[in-house]
Amino acid sequence: MTLLPRIRLKTVIIRRSRTQTIASVSSRLKAFSRCIGLGLLTLFLITWVFPTQAQYPPIPLTELTQTQFLSREQGIGNKQQGDLNSVQENDNALTQLEQGKALYSAGRFWQAITVWQQTMQAYQDRGDRIHYALSLSYLSLAYQELGQWQEAEQAITQSLNLVANLLKPTRNHQRLLAQLLNTQASLHYAQGQMEAALETWKQAEQAYQEAGDQTGVFGSQINQAQVLQALGLYRRSQITLERVKTQLQTQPDSLLKAAGLRSLGVALQVVGNLEESQQVLQQSLAITQGFDAIADQSATLFSLGNTARAQQDFEDAIAYYQQAASTATTPLTQVEAQLNQLSLLIETQNWTDAQTLVPQIQAELSNLPLNRAAVYAQVNFAESLMKMGSHVETLHATSGSQSVGAGLTDNVTQETANLTKPALPREQGIVSQSPPNFTGAKAQLQTIAQLLARAIQQARQLNDKRSESYALGQLGHLYMQTQQWLEAQRLTEEALSLAQGIQATEITYRWQWQLSQILQYQGNLTGAIAANRDAVYTLQSLRSDLMAINPDVQFSFRETVEPIYRNLVELLLSNQPTPEQLQQGRETIESLRLAELENFFREACWQVQRQTIDQIDPQASVIYPIILPNHFAVIVSLPGKPLRYFQTELAQTQIDSTIEQLLQALNPAWSNKERLRLSQQLYDWLIRPIETELRENEIKTLVFVLDGALRNLPMAALYDGQQYLIENYNIALSLGLQLIEPRSLYPKQLKTLTAGLSEARDGFPALPAVELEVQSIAAQIPSTILLNQQFTPQTLQEQIEANPFPVVHLATHGQFSSKAENTFLLTWNGRIKVKDLDQLLQVRQRQDTNPIELLVLSACQTATGDKRAALGLAGLAVRSGARSTLATLWSVNDESTAQLMVEFYRQLTQSQVSKAQALRQAQLTLLRQSNYQHPFYWAPFVLVGNWL
């Protein structure tokens, strides 16, 4: 059995005021629930369902199942009265309780509240505190769904108070307590109170343990893992999930085990363990096939599709979605699988198959019951049609639709009527981030408007502000497509008001961003900046949840979040920005870098402290290049000076093309003339306008906070026409001044743990000069060496735990990628993935001693063809916990690397030499040698973090 709603969403799911949705599975629940207790209530991780494609972070929430201990035969209630009327009244109340659960499971939360309020009153009148408390718990869940947090809090608090003095040390009472605690934890989680949620789920786990309910224990542990992930405690989360997996494997095969494995698979997918997620889900599928449980097979196939999609295995994902749809036992689950399939076909621009699927989905939508999931399905479908744009052939109006605005309030009726009459899109000015323009397809617009209008109507019938907000916001987006700005603004503001009213910040940021775009195209720059800034602030307030989203598929960071930051920077920097606007622009760029790292790890675990450049280094300048759609912008921070700003009018395509050509030209096989021309072009854009100011302020170090494709480019190789940049300045890279903890490395501190591989391992070639490199370093400074067989994760960790090494030098193959799972370092017996690096290198931090001052990574490279691969280097630098990281952007000559490293350490032994200065001198040593003077040999060495 499954409780996983399965609409995939393209929008980001980062949230503080979260609610959960339970799919309509009442028929399956009725058949299966008699054999389970309240333990199952936490097992299934309920998924957010949004009216756009592809989100799948699991959310822990109580499942409303019928439970044995509620029966009169077990002695709970007013059976002792012996009165036939009382028994009949109790039967009626129990029936109403079940009716409310059916309504809740169907997504009709307001009706469920009405029924449960009546049930609660009946139990209160008879003095049946147990069922009264249970009704209150259910009410709290329904209030959470509708964003009525105060009512939800009051209901669960009253419920817990009722049972506080009644509980007896029996298993049934412990199960009841566990359910109530589960509901309370869900409320904490929805409101972003993660520490409280964690503690409450621990209490629920204990209650399930005392009740002898192992299923409930599993569910509570999975829920705790999700909270630990939200708190940035990745390691503890992983350990918890591994423990659940081990315990589940010991259980005999059953549908309950299959459901637990499915929930675990979803959780593993969310935290980025995609291969393990696939394995667990395949095991779940095999069990369901053995029991011939079709509905459960469909749910697991759907989850497998999500994992395959996260792995960018789109062909398998499509196949899984098709199987999930074909085995679905309800129209809703079939449509949800088809909607996911459609969104993926659109993402991969498979227009032919997408067009074939559209009429199938249209035919099914009219068969859906009235509930939240049906509303979301219609909005989801409408958004997919908007994305298809001109690629969609003429569509027929949705089956069964009446007039577009039927049953809606007057303003929506008139607006949708206006849209679906002659209001076709105009030829110019369509928002750049929007889908392709419709080309005279009036029927397409009419279909989309009808879908959204009906969704609004149904949401209002359900009194569901959340789904109403989504439908109204999407209708506003449709008006953006047709450039009907006033109508778009009014609908967007109404959607925003609804989202703010229920504290649904994960929706709020979206409509703030949409409102900013609308105001921008109306020429209201002040209003656009304010709305855009609000959207950024909302995202920052949700940063503790960023980790829960897969970066490239689920979260779609570059499509849904990054543009919000970039657009604010562009607005702030337009029309001769003021010093205050420049400061805001710089802070926005730094916030984007931080959000990008959190998205990379799916964690929010950095406590940042802002510092001015004067406090860090009075002879350093921080340079923030920003690649915007129509110009190359640069903000420069000079000690004791106002921020400096200049820009070059260039199309982003031209900037990216120049960077890509220069990266290729850094190969020694290319023409030196062409390389120098391209290098000088970048220099002119980035450095030339401030050359004089850098000299006048006696700047010695340039610190770059790089943007976009620039992060794969070595700044040392920029050329002014006569000299390389490294010949005049020390150079360092930073993630922003927020993450810097300034501290110098003194010669007397130098003591190195040096580990390396000189032999070929795991498909990587031998590095014969590594042995010479590590021996040469040891000849200059005290060193402990781990070479080849001695270099394992275990020995590395043991040495770091035993000795306070300020420098850790790893001469081995490694790879930096925009995906955390593809960023690793090679050891003798395996790979150290970036997410595991903190476990090895931050031991001393956990023991309240000094962290590593310098981590040196020799012979690493960026992932081939990955334009954002340098993000992996930044992530590794942060994950290591080291104050500074020295690494290479590509694999370079083995012998030249050894020479550079030896000279780098020799420089560090000199007094008053910073890390950046030591690296510069080592690079210049190679530059001055005829056989290594090409930038290929010395330019890729970069210092990330603290440069002092």
Side-chain angles (χ1 to χ4, degrees), residues 226-302:
Q226 301 307 294
V227 179
L228 289 168
Q229 185 77 9
L231 289 170
L233 303 174
Y234 173 81
R235 176 62 48 186
R236 287 177 58 189
S237 176
Q238 287 291 94
I239 291 172
T240 300
L241 290 174
E242 285 298 324
R243 183 168 66 248
V244 172
K245 179 182 176 182
T246 301
Q247 292 171 340
L248 277 171
Q249 300 295 359
T250 65
Q251 303 296 310
D253 285 353
S254 66
L255 290 180
L256 195 60
K257 178 180 178 179
L261 289 169
R262 182 166 60 250
S263 294
L264 178 62
V266 171
L268 289 167
Q269 187 235 335
V270 168
V271 301
N273 293 348
L274 301 181
E275 293 182 4
E276 191 173 0
S277 170
Q278 184 181 43
Q279 294 170 2
V280 169
L281 290 171
Q282 287 287 4
Q283 185 181 356
S284 175
L285 179 63
I287 294 174
T288 61
Q289 290 172 337
F291 284 90
D292 197 26
I294 303 302
D296 296 274
Q297 289 179 38
S298 177
T300 306
L301 286 165
F302 184 87

Side-chain angles (χ1 to χ4, degrees), residues 320-535:
Y320 283 130
Y321 290 144
Q322 289 174 335
Q323 293 177 62
S326 65
T327 55
T329 57
T330 68
L332 178 60
T333 53
Q334 179 181 352
V335 167
E336 288 170 344
Q338 290 174 329
L339 285 170
N340 254 26
Q341 181 183 347
L342 178 62
S343 70
L344 184 51
L345 290 171
I346 293 171
E347 181 182 331
T348 56
Q349 299 186 5
N350 187 342
W351 306 116
T352 301
D353 289 348
Q355 291 175 16
T356 301
L357 191 57
V358 163
Q360 299 177 35
I361 296 174
Q362 277 186 288
E364 293 294 334
L365 283 175
S366 59
N367 298 324
L368 298 183
L370 176 63
N371 57 35
R372 174 184 283 180
V375 174
Y376 285 166
Q378 292 171 91
V379 181
N380 186 330
F381 186 48
E383 182 168 4
S384 288
L385 294 182
M386 282 190 275
K387 289 182 178 181
M388 292 180 73
S390 59
H391 296 285
V392 182
E393 297 175 353
T394 302
L395 301 170
H396 298 292
T398 303
S399 175
S401 297
Q402 303 300 319
S403 62
V404 171
L408 302 180
T409 58
D410 292 341
N411 64 322
V412 176
T413 301
Q414 186 59 47
E415 288 162 0
T416 52
N418 288 341
L419 179 65
T420 56
K421 288 179 181 177
L424 297 178
R426 303 164 191 174
E427 295 180 357
Q428 299 177 350
I430 293 294
V431 177
S432 60
Q433 291 84 355
S434 301
N437 186 16
F438 297 102
T439 55
K442 179 179 177 180
Q444 295 158 319
L445 290 173
Q446 191 172 32
T447 296
I448 296 169
Q450 287 174 331
L451 283 167
L452 294 173
R454 188 168 64 177
I456 295 169
Q457 178 186 17
Q458 292 178 351
R460 289 175 177 171
Q461 285 180 295
L462 294 169
N463 197 25
D464 191 331
K465 303 300 182 185
R466 181 179 296 275
S467 58
E468 183 183 354
S469 174
Y470 269 111
L472 282 167
Q474 279 301 323
L475 186 58
H477 188 69
L478 182 61
Y479 276 103
M480 287 178 61
Q481 302 303 301
T482 61
Q483 298 189 46
Q484 293 169 275
W485 304 115
L486 292 178
E487 293 89 344
Q489 179 179 345
R490 184 163 59 253
L491 287 165
T492 302
E493 288 175 339
E494 186 175 354
L496 176 58
S497 177
L498 286 171
Q500 291 174 326
I502 59 172
Q503 302 175 37
T505 45
E506 80 289 343
I507 314 175
T508 298
Y509 94 90
R510 185 175 180 179
W511 305 142
Q512 288 167 332
W513 165 232
Q514 183 165 294
L515 179 60
S516 175
Q517 294 175 290
I518 294 168
L519 294 173
Q520 184 176 351
Y521 278 89
Q522 289 179 291
N524 184 350
L525 186 61
T526 301
I529 290 176
N532 204 154
R533 185 185 292 118
D534 288 343

Side-chain angles (χ1 to χ4, degrees), residues 685-699:
W685 293 342
L686 188 55
I687 304 297
R688 187 82 68 188
I690 54 168
E691 277 182 331
T692 302
E693 292 171 81
L694 294 175
R695 285 195 297 267
E696 290 176 349
N697 287 274
E698 299 181 346
I699 297 300

Side-chain angles (χ1 to χ4, degrees), residues 555-617:
F555 191 61
S556 193
F557 183 89
R558 298 184 69 190
E559 295 179 12
T560 57
V561 172
E562 187 171 344
I564 299 176
Y565 285 85
R566 290 194 177 279
N567 195 71
L568 177 57
V569 173
E570 187 167 18
L571 290 173
L572 290 168
L573 299 183
S574 62
N575 299 328
Q576 298 181 341
T578 65
E580 181 181 1
Q581 288 174 324
L582 287 176
Q583 179 67 23
Q584 292 174 357
R586 185 180 75 164
E587 291 176 357
T588 302
I589 283 297
E590 292 208 357
S591 296
L592 174 59
R593 297 282 82 81
L594 186 61
E596 194 172 35
L597 278 173
E598 290 172 334
N599 178 238
F600 176 77
F601 288 116
R602 302 172 193 82
E603 294 181 55
C605 55
W606 295 284
Q607 298 299 320
V608 299
Q609 295 181 345
R610 300 182 185 276
Q611 301 183 60
T612 66
I613 185 66
D614 310 68
Q615 294 173 325
I616 298 173
D617 186 350

